[in-house]
Amino acid sequence: MSLIDLSKQVALGVDIGGTNTKFGIVNHRGEVLDKGNLRTDAYDKVEDFIDALYEHVYPMMEKHGTEKHFDGIGVGAPNANYYKGTIELAPNLPWKGVIPFAELMTAKFNLPCTVTNDANAAALGEMLFGAARGMKDFIMITLGTGVGSGIIANGSLIYGHDGFAGELGHTIVKPGGRKHWSTGSEGSLEAYASATGITITAKKMRAEFPESMLNQYPEDEVNSKTVYECALKEDPIAIEVFRYTGQKLGEALANFVMFSSPEAILLFGGVIKAGDFILKPAKLHMERNLLPIFRNKVKLVFSELDEADAAILGASALVWEK
């Protein structure tokens, strides 16, 4: 029986976004050995996209393939079905309908391919390479333009019966509340705790308080970044925007904790750059809304993955999760 040299085993991680796709070669230690990107929206046909991806990736594989063994390809993508290997009805991708993406990738690259949604991939990346190393129960919440999530319970990612479990961003935190700009649902977590939601809150609050520093910015420059800049200058309205956002997030996190009793909740994405402005109210309102048996047990921590490489690391983790 021959020994396996893990140092020579690598995976290809691919993160597909609506505009850009990132890809990289990753080893077992979570080191990105090589990486690149291409435009997703430049290809109307998925076959053309995969051909272009192959042309970008093949020289990298040739470069590292002489000494390395490629175990497979992991892909994080919106509306990806882990069980079927498909991307299904993704509104932000140019390819419509149900795409047999893993099958097409395997045919082109001659490597096994696994797909899941980007937030699930982020959770796996955190478990293998980040702040959740050694944890068997945690929830990953990605706070960016939207709110994504991945749930790890008993050491396994929760996929549900159809592969789409874990859409915590679309759970309702305020019944009859703010209408979501895309889904039309009223009062979802994403409508409040995403960067988009923060922007909506900020524009509403600054209209009510003309003295706020937020009114120094043109309408199209009010966003989570400018709110943070004003909060750093101690503008009370900017601070209140984050406090309110943190409250909504914390109330939702309490529900999530009582659902799966995780050891930790990991927060990732551009919104967490607000730091304690959002973390402190989130922790306060999470604990306030928990049953006593759950209180002061769950760590609320920021991701340890490098934001630039996190998507690639998460996708590559799919290859080794089993």
Side-chain angles (χ1 to χ4, degrees):
M1 180 177 167
S2 60
L3 294 173
I4 298 173
D5 187 350
L6 291 179
S7 68
K8 293 185 177 180
Q9 291 188 284
V10 294
L12 175 63
V14 181
D15 176 70
I16 300 175
T19 304
N20 290 298
T21 292
K22 299 177 182 178
F23 52 86
I25 294 172
V26 181
N27 66 17
H28 268 269
R29 291 186 294 274
E31 297 167 335
V32 180
L33 306 179
D34 221 330
K35 62 182 177 179
N37 62 81
L38 78 160
R39 296 280 298 194
T40 312
D41 56 6
Y43 304 94
D44 293 332
K45 293 183 178 179
V46 68
E47 292 83 1
D48 293 341
F49 169 79
I50 290 174
D51 287 345
L53 180 63
Y54 185 81
E55 288 174 13
H56 280 75
V57 168
Y58 188 73
M60 288 166 40
M61 296 177 72
E62 284 270 279
K63 174 182 169 184
H64 296 279
T66 52
E67 296 182 355
K68 307 292 183 184
H69 175 267
F70 281 84
D71 286 343
I73 304 168
V75 178
N79 287 40
N81 188 319
Y82 172 80
Y83 293 134
K84 297 180 180 178
T86 52
I87 296 175
E88 304 185 11
L89 310 173
N92 296 324
L93 295 181
W95 327 305
K96 303 308 175 187
V98 177
I99 309 294
F101 196 82
E103 182 183 315
L104 293 170
M105 287 287 286
T106 295
K108 186 69 181 180
F109 285 82
N110 196 30
L111 286 170
C113 179
T114 306
V115 305
T116 192
N117 77 47
D118 41 6
N120 282 344
L124 290 172
E126 206 69 54
M127 185 165 65
L128 282 187
F129 308 125
R133 282 189 300 269
M135 292 186 192
K136 291 186 176 181
D137 295 272
F138 69 93
I139 297 173
M140 179 86 175
I141 305 286
T142 60
L143 300 169
T145 306
V147 175
S149 58
I151 305 167
I152 303 286
N154 302 326
S156 298
L157 193 56
I158 302 299
Y159 285 110
H161 83 283
D162 60 355
F164 294 111
E167 284 289 355
L168 300 179
H170 294 289
T171 57
I172 303 302
V173 296
K174 187 176 181 181
R178 181 180 294 168
K179 188 172 182 178
H180 192 281
W181 49 90
S182 176
T183 67
S185 66
E186 296 181 346
S188 68
L189 178 60
E190 185 168 279
Y192 294 96
S194 63
T196 311
I198 290 170
T199 299
I200 294 169
T201 301
K203 288 180 177 179
K204 183 175 182 294
M205 288 191 179
R206 80 169 190 161
E208 296 171 0
F209 297 94
E211 70 277 12
S212 171
M213 289 181 187
L214 291 169
N215 286 294
Q216 297 173 4
Y217 295 91
E219 181 82 0
D220 61 354
E221 290 183 19
V222 177
N223 53 43
S224 58
K225 183 175 180 290
T226 50
V227 175
Y228 178 58
E229 290 170 358
C230 291
L232 286 175
K233 296 174 183 174
E234 301 184 353
D235 178 61
I237 305 308
I239 292 170
E240 174 60 17
V241 170
F242 283 125
R243 190 213 63 77
Y244 178 76
T245 303
Q247 177 179 345
K248 288 291 166 232
L249 177 60
E251 289 166 353
L253 295 181
N255 286 332
F256 304 160
V257 166
M258 291 185 285
F259 157 70
S260 67
S261 193
E263 178 180 346
I265 293 175
L266 277 69
L267 302 176
F268 176 81
V271 169
I272 68 168
K273 291 176 181 175
D276 281 346
F277 287 124
I278 198 166
L279 187 66
K280 283 187 175 180
K283 178 73 170 174
L284 172 69
H285 287 278
M286 181 183 82
E287 296 291 352
R288 183 176 289 175
N289 286 280
L290 287 171
L291 289 172
I293 196 170
F294 293 105
R295 283 182 197 148
N296 302 311
K297 287 183 177 179
V298 181
K299 293 177 284 188
L300 200 56
V301 295
F302 291 152
S303 165
E304 289 181 359
L305 297 182
D306 184 308
E307 191 170 353
D309 294 335
I312 295 170
L313 289 169
S316 69
L318 277 167
V319 174
W320 295 309
E321 70 162 315
K322 296 174 183 176

